[in-house]
Amino acid sequence: MRFILLFILIINFIIFTVSVQARDKIGLVLSGGGAKGTAHIGVLKVLEQHNIPIDYVVGTSIGAYVAGMYALGYEVDEIETIMLGLPWSDGYSDFIPRESLFYSNKQHRDRYNISIRLGYSDGEFKVPHGLLLGQSAYQILQRSTDTVSAFTSFDDLAIPYRAVASDIATAKMVVLDSGSINQAMKASAAVPGIVAAVVIDGKALVDGGITNNMPIDVVKAMGADIVIAVDIGSPLASQSDLTSTVSVLNQLSTILTNNTSLAKKVLLTDKDILLRPAIDDLSTTDWSVMPKALILGEQAANSQSADLIKLSISDHDYQVYQDEKKLRARKWFDELPKHIIDIKIRNNSKVENDIISLHFAVKLGEKLSKEALDLAIDRVYALDKFEQVTVEFNDTAQGRILILHTQAKSWGPNYFDFGFNLKTEFSDRSVTSINMSYLMTEFTGNGGSWLNELELGWETLLASEFYQPINREQDLYSRVRFSFARDKWEKTGLRPELRNDYYLGKFALGYNYSFKGIIELGAVVESGDLFLDEIGTDDFDFDYETYGSFLTFGYDTLNSINFPTDGNKLLIEMQWLTDKYSPKLTAAEHDKTLAFTFDWRGAIGFRGHTFVGITSFVTIDNETDFSVHVTELGGFLNLSGYQEDALIGVHKVFAAVVYQYDLGRDVLGGSGLPIYLGTSLEMGNVWAVDETVKYSNLINSGSIYLGTDTSFGPAVLGVGFATGGEYSFFLSVGKNW
């Protein structure tokens, strides 16, 4: 039966080949226009309704995407479903989701909350070539086109295809006619300065709209006798709208692309057709306009149906045309074996191939779906060592050869990170701190790194840490850290200002049991001076020395440390310490201390609603009625009715339930900007060494707040209240809690 079907298709192909020679060949040109690109789908729907065959298709930017999908052999309805179902707005960020990072990288990002990429090497500061790296955009395209192979020629597609890009070094047009169709689409849409250039055949390629947003000449060169050109370029802004630097830059970009379109439109003849959908009022960057743009594209084509119908062919001939496209598409969708017979790694970084392969985790013999491939790429990219991770396939009669490409960060291998924090309870004092780190990676051949940290402001920190993987898999490691810190507890009605200046050294052996967590066993030594920072209080001044060991278990899958909607974060730590105080507190030379810490935060969310649970328990067992090892309560979601760190002690019990709703879903029309309205119910207290933890001593507290994420971290404005009449108005920007 399959032989008969194949025979019929071949006969139809021969008939179609003869008939197509008797008619003019039609070329379709799809211009760039960002989110308005679904207008092209509307046009394609009308062309198919009128039995209009397309012999060649060429596109620029988003036009290259739609043209590429159509050229691969996807039905128009399939393209519509795929395009409207993709998270296009995710392409505006290449930052790895927090839940995907290694445990230690999660903690680092939480502390350094300013989202910038700045590196230093070879005696100069470095930044990426674009605000976006293009990784997210590439994976969106990969989800569109399935796991198709690279092509020796785009003439082999169901419809011969070309994508237009621009060489950023020469400002010349580059016509992409072979290779990875995903990379061709991505290069054609890489807005210079915003998205990093795509390197193909040694050329750094960016948005084709710079040199040819309406590639009529390209489709004619392919052999088109008649051209259908679809223009979705942006109109020029009026003078009254040019009120900012950004608006002027956008105007310059529009002038450039419009000029390239005008230069090519003069090539149109009387038998060609130009379609201009009424998309002038639509944004190129707001992907919510896609359904409307699709309708406008359909309307534009229908308005010129009288001209389009002249290009129609008979139902029989059109069916033959469609069958021939399907026959050609079978070569990559159906016919060849899909199982993986070999994996080759093209690694342009110093990360070991074994590490990349371990996390890629694709097995030979598997048939790899686009969803599974996307997850595999995510796992490698989540190592946070690469600027881009891409794949391509070479299909053979025996199966598929998968080629994995990794590109090291161009601004590495040494990186600066920054953090910022402003807290105020609208009282006499506000607390501000800034922190900076300098991370040197590739410090050793086996993935060692050297981290240096500085914090200035209300509290002070100067630290240096060396991290060294022990085994080839890099899941076992050693960590050595030295630091000087100044911790301060603000003056309250219950106490004067308290300060602790101390030096700390740590050595740990650890195990990364997964991206989710660590287990560490180590030794700690500390030397400090704890005193009241107030005139006339010299009687409270203790020098101390501490040494001992610790065991830590950490687990972290929260998708946000600021406003989580899913995941859990757990820290359990035991410390066995020996303390020595000067002056002595007891007759004994040393004080033995056992300290236990349990901290958990978990979240579950659905449709903008989120419930967060928080639990914290700290206790110590020692031989005196004093300890330098203290814990705090007070501040937002930490007994919100009290000011920051208002309560200090050695025993702590705290629990909270938080509800928050994302107002951005409704108030802002689902624009994606989160604005959280939240409330919390909290209970907790702290106790001194010689006090008994009692349920009757627990303090009830709560809060109502508004919060959002900013480029400086979270911003929260709210009011907290607690039993006993305590209350606090608070504003926090940049705080990670």
Side-chain angles (χ1 to χ4, degrees):
M1 185 66 186
R2 292 186 63 185
F3 175 77
I4 295 173
L5 178 61
L6 182 61
F7 177 75
I8 293 172
L9 289 173
I10 292 173
I11 293 299
N12 283 338
F13 172 69
I14 295 172
I15 295 172
F16 171 75
T17 302
V18 174
S19 63
V20 78
Q21 292 175 352
R23 65 170 176 82
D24 287 334
K25 295 182 179 180
I26 300 171
L28 179 64
V29 175
L30 305 180
S31 72
K36 298 177 289 186
T38 47
H40 294 318
I41 298 175
V43 171
L44 288 173
K45 283 188 171 186
V46 175
L47 296 182
E48 293 203 343
Q49 289 168 7
H50 292 305
N51 290 357
I52 300 173
I54 301 301
D55 301 292
Y56 310 101
V57 60
V58 179
T60 296
S61 196
I62 195 67
Y65 168 80
V66 178
M69 293 290 286
Y70 197 55
L72 279 169
Y74 283 95
E75 301 289 344
V76 176
D77 289 344
E78 290 180 311
I79 301 173
E80 177 183 353
T81 300
I82 292 170
M83 194 169 181
L84 293 182
L86 289 171
W88 291 96
S89 58
D90 289 357
Y92 293 143
S93 174
D94 287 304
F95 283 95
I96 301 166
R98 184 184 185 278
E99 63 270 24
S100 299
L101 289 167
F102 259 124
Y103 180 89
S104 57
N105 290 348
K106 290 183 178 81
Q107 317 314 311
H108 186 82
R109 181 184 291 185
D110 295 343
R111 182 171 178 80
Y112 299 98
N113 48 30
I114 300 179
S115 299
I116 64 171
R117 294 182 172 110
L118 176 65
Y120 182 83
S121 62
D122 302 324
E124 61 180 351
F125 291 98
K126 296 180 179 180
V127 296
H129 299 304
L131 296 177
L132 300 175
L133 306 180
Q135 180 67 28
S136 297
Y138 164 78
Q139 289 188 246
I140 289 172
L141 296 176
Q142 182 271 320
R143 284 175 236 167
S144 299
T145 59
D146 211 335
T147 56
V148 296
S149 66
F151 295 89
T152 55
S153 172
F154 290 156
D155 287 340
D156 296 334
L157 299 178
I159 303 173
Y161 164 73
R162 300 289 186 271
V164 173
S166 304
D167 187 331
I168 192 65
T170 64
K172 292 182 178 180
M173 177 182 71
V174 176
V175 178
L176 299 170
D177 58 4
S178 63
S180 166
I181 195 166
N182 288 338
Q183 288 291 77
M185 292 174 176
K186 180 183 169 188
S188 184
V191 180
I194 303 299
V195 180
V198 178
V199 179
I200 297 179
D201 296 333
K203 297 177 181 178
L205 304 182
V206 295
D207 195 340
I210 295 174
T211 53
N212 195 346
N213 199 44
M214 185 67 70
I216 295 165
D217 55 334
V218 177
V219 82
K220 283 181 175 288
M222 293 175 72
D225 301 304
I226 298 174
V227 176
I228 301 173
V230 186
D231 180 12
I232 60 168
S234 300
L236 293 174
S238 64
Q239 182 174 337
S240 60
D241 293 329
L242 301 176
T243 56
S244 67
T245 302
V246 173
S247 63
V248 172
L249 290 174
N250 286 337
Q251 184 82 329
L252 290 174
S253 176
T254 302
I255 291 171
L256 190 60
T257 55
N258 284 1
N259 284 344
T260 67
S261 294
L262 290 172
K264 301 305 178 184
K265 286 178 183 178
V266 299
L267 301 175
L268 295 173
T269 65
D270 292 340
K271 61 181 181 180
D272 300 324
I273 299 173
L274 175 64
L275 301 176
R276 171 69 184 179
I279 41 74
D280 287 359
D281 294 332
L282 301 185
S283 169
T284 60
T285 57
D286 180 3
W287 298 99
S288 67
V289 307
M290 290 196 298
K292 186 175 182 180
L294 192 152
I295 295 171
L296 293 174
E298 198 168 355
Q299 290 174 350
N302 281 326
S303 69
Q304 293 181 242
S305 59
D307 294 326
L308 291 172
I309 288 174
K310 297 175 184 178
L311 306 178
S312 299
I313 58 178
S314 68
D315 289 342
H316 174 269
D317 288 346
Y318 194 70
Q319 187 59 53
V320 172
Y321 162 80
Q322 293 282 48
D323 290 343
E324 191 273 339
K325 282 203 307 179
K326 292 177 182 178
L327 179 62
R328 300 182 71 169
R330 285 185 62 192
K331 295 177 183 178
W332 51 89
F333 284 134
D334 298 322
E335 287 185 352
L336 290 171
K338 295 295 184 181
H339 62 277
I340 307 299
I341 61 171
D342 191 17
I343 297 174
K344 297 180 179 180
I345 299 177
R346 302 285 186 261
N347 182 14
N348 188 15
S349 76
K350 292 188 177 181
V351 180
E352 292 283 344
N353 281 4
D354 288 348
I355 298 297
I356 296 171
S357 181
L358 177 68
H359 292 280
F360 193 54
V362 171
K363 297 179 181 178
L364 297 181
E366 286 187 345
K367 289 185 177 181
L368 198 60
S369 68
K370 61 183 178 183
E371 292 79 13
L373 177 60
D374 197 46
L375 290 173
I377 293 172
D378 279 342
R379 288 193 295 269
V380 177
Y381 192 61
L383 291 170
D384 203 16
K385 303 289 187 181
F386 309 109
E387 183 163 347
Q388 289 189 358
V389 178
T390 61
V391 299
E392 63 180 80
F393 294 91
N394 287 334
D395 287 335
T396 70
Q398 293 74 38
R400 319 197 78 181
I401 299 172
L402 187 155
I403 304 170
L404 175 65
H405 298 270
T406 57
Q407 177 65 47
K409 295 178 179 179
S410 59
W411 64 100
N414 307 320
Y415 309 95
F416 284 99
D417 289 297
F418 301 90
F420 170 81
N421 176 224
L422 168 65
K423 294 178 290 186
T424 179
E425 283 89 17
F426 300 100
S427 57
D428 295 336
R429 177 178 294 181
S430 296
V431 176
T432 303
S433 65
I434 58 173
N435 51 333
M436 179 186 77
S437 74
Y438 180 57
L439 176 64
M440 302 173 69
T441 67
E442 302 175 9
F443 199 71
T444 66
N446 193 31
S449 62
W450 184 15
L451 173 67
N452 295 280
E453 300 179 281
L454 174 66
E455 179 176 347
L456 299 173
W458 171 245
E459 295 183 328
T460 303
L461 173 71
L462 180 63
S464 186
E465 177 176 306
F466 180 69
Y467 177 96
Q468 177 62 55
I470 296 174
N471 59 344
R472 191 172 183 84
E473 292 77 16
Q474 297 187 4
D475 52 358
L476 297 176
Y477 64 88
S478 63
R479 182 170 67 91
V480 180
R481 181 179 178 87
F482 297 99
S483 63
F484 167 77
R486 170 171 292 170
D487 291 345
K488 298 170 72 174
W489 293 271
E490 203 171 349
K491 179 180 180 180
T492 70
L494 303 176
R495 65 162 193 266
E497 186 173 292
L498 184 64
R499 194 171 90 185
N500 184 18
D501 293 346
Y502 62 94
Y503 295 90
L504 179 69
K506 275 189 176 183
F507 171 75
L509 294 175
Y511 173 52
N512 292 306
Y513 59 85
S514 74
F515 271 50
K516 300 175 183 178
I518 61 163
I519 298 173
E520 280 192 352
L521 176 65
V524 59
V525 59
E526 182 178 340
S527 176
D529 181 14
L530 178 67
F531 59 96
L532 295 177
D533 193 12
E534 190 168 281
I535 297 174
T537 57
D538 293 339
D539 56 323
F540 189 88
D541 189 347
F542 290 92
D543 293 331
Y544 68 92
E545 294 178 358
T546 294
Y547 62 89
S549 58
F550 64 90
L551 176 64
T552 300
F553 173 84
Y555 175 86
D556 191 348
T557 60
L558 282 183
N559 60 357
S560 169
I561 194 64
N562 308 319
F563 303 103
T565 59
D566 186 63
N568 293 274
K569 186 175 188 291
L570 175 65
L571 177 67
I572 301 174
E573 186 170 63
M574 294 284 294
Q575 295 185 85
W576 297 268
L577 305 172
T578 299
D579 302 324
K580 179 181 179 181
Y581 297 102
S582 179
K584 292 183 180 180
L585 299 177
T586 66
E589 186 72 21
H590 299 94
D591 181 18
K592 301 293 185 180
T593 298
L594 172 63
F596 175 76
T597 299
F598 177 95
D599 280 307
W600 169 80
R601 181 185 299 261
I604 183 170
F606 59 96
R607 296 183 179 179
H609 303 273
T610 302
F611 292 92
V612 181
I614 304 171
T615 301
S616 183
F617 176 73
V618 178
T619 188
I620 70 168
D621 180 22
N622 70 345
E623 301 167 346
T624 70
D625 59 358
F626 175 81
S627 176
V628 72
H629 310 293
V630 296
T631 184
E632 308 92 2
L633 272 178
F636 177 53
L637 299 186
N638 197 36
L639 280 190
S640 300
Y642 286 82
Q643 72 181 52
E644 192 83 14
D645 299 340
L647 307 176
I648 61 173
V650 297
H651 307 295
K652 176 174 73 172
V653 174
F654 176 76
V657 176
V658 183
Y659 166 77
Q660 59 191 28
Y661 179 70
D662 184 1
L663 293 174
R665 292 169 59 93
D666 298 325
V667 176
L668 301 178
S671 67
L673 176 67
I675 298 180
Y676 297 100
L677 174 63
T679 184
S680 66
L681 296 176
E682 309 162 33
M683 179 181 291
N685 205 348
V686 297
W687 292 264
V689 175
D690 57 349
E691 292 181 316
T692 302
V693 176
K694 295 181 179 180
Y695 177 80
S696 58
N697 296 141
L698 292 177
I699 300 169
N700 296 313
S701 184
S703 68
I704 299 173
Y705 62 89
L706 279 172
T708 188
D709 274 313
T710 73
S711 57
F712 292 99
V716 180
L717 175 65
V719 58
F721 42 86
T723 51
E726 295 286 340
Y727 67 91
S728 173
F729 292 97
F730 53 83
L731 170 67
S732 174
V733 178
K735 177 180 174 63
N736 289 306
W737 51 82

